[in-house]
Amino acid sequence: MKILGISGSASRYSSNYYLLKAIQSYAEGEHAMSVYDLLPNFELFTPDRLKNGVPQHIQIFKNQVLDADAIIICTPEYTHNIPAVLKNMIEWCTASGEFAHKRILPITFTPIAPRGEFAMSSLLMSLQTMDAKVVSQLPLYKTDVDIEHEQIILPEDIRDIIGAALELF
């Protein structure tokens, strides 16, 4: 199965990116997974920009979404919401329908519980609007994993949870 991981962080190499890379390593051999981390490069969505055509790098991203069998979106929570770069990506994809009927696993990855609840709620509302098929939702916390030199080590219990979530795809 082809899985596209999308880091919703405004920081290109954030802990959300490294979590997706850890999931990619874990899924290796069973699934082909790539991680997209360039949302901060997207121009701000406006209807006028859309009338002028979708920029090439955004169209390439949209094609990656269409080509994927499933999507994992991993996001932090900023001011009780999803980051603006993730919301902007959603805006670029809403009318064109790339996420329609696409199997999605949303993950919030934040420092400690209960942070992430508002971001998850916001993301789920947006995914519902785009007619995506949310297979589950997974709140994870930095206290759940080991972080060593910008690499995330998934403990066995977290690997089991992620493995069960991937089986839902």
Side-chain angles (χ1 to χ4, degrees):
M1 175 180 316
K2 291 174 72 174
I3 300 172
L4 176 63
I6 300 171
S7 173
S9 176
S11 299
R12 185 164 181 200
Y13 297 114
S14 70
S15 57
N16 283 263
Y17 168 80
Y18 290 113
L19 178 63
L20 286 168
K21 295 300 280 183
I23 293 170
Q24 181 183 34
S25 292
Y26 170 75
E28 196 172 59
E30 298 238 354
H31 305 288
M33 181 172 169
S34 61
V35 177
Y36 190 85
D37 63 345
L38 297 176
L39 296 186
N41 294 352
F42 280 29
E43 290 86 346
L44 180 64
F45 173 84
T46 66
D48 288 337
R49 282 201 174 119
L50 187 58
K51 288 178 191 172
N52 294 331
V54 176
Q56 183 178 6
H57 65 283
I58 295 176
Q59 188 58 55
I60 290 169
F61 167 78
K62 290 170 159 240
N63 292 341
Q64 290 176 348
V65 170
L66 288 170
D67 193 43
D69 298 310
I71 310 273
I72 299 173
I73 299 174
C74 188
T75 185
E77 181 174 282
Y78 292 178
T79 60
H80 292 314
N81 213 320
I82 59 175
V85 295
L86 182 55
K87 178 69 167 103
N88 189 49
M89 179 274 292
I90 290 168
E91 298 282 338
W92 276 107
C93 295
T94 298
S96 48
E98 286 81 12
F99 284 87
H101 311 290
K102 195 64 73 170
R103 292 172 290 178
I104 311 278
L105 173 63
I107 298 174
T108 51
F109 189 53
T110 58
I112 57 171
R115 282 190 55 190
E117 292 177 1
F118 294 108
M120 182 64 78
S121 177
S122 178
L123 181 56
L124 290 172
M125 284 188 291
S126 293
L127 292 171
Q128 180 181 11
T129 298
M130 294 191 299
D131 219 10
K133 181 181 178 189
V134 176
V135 298
S136 186
Q137 54 184 285
L138 184 56
L140 289 177
Y141 306 99
K142 292 180 184 177
T143 54
D144 293 334
V145 300
D146 297 318
I147 303 174
E148 298 177 10
H149 307 292
E150 298 181 337
Q151 182 178 357
I152 293 182
I153 307 336
L154 301 172
E156 186 175 343
D157 61 330
I158 300 301
R159 286 194 310 267
D160 291 344
I161 291 168
I162 290 170
L166 293 177
E167 287 179 21
L168 297 173
F169 283 147

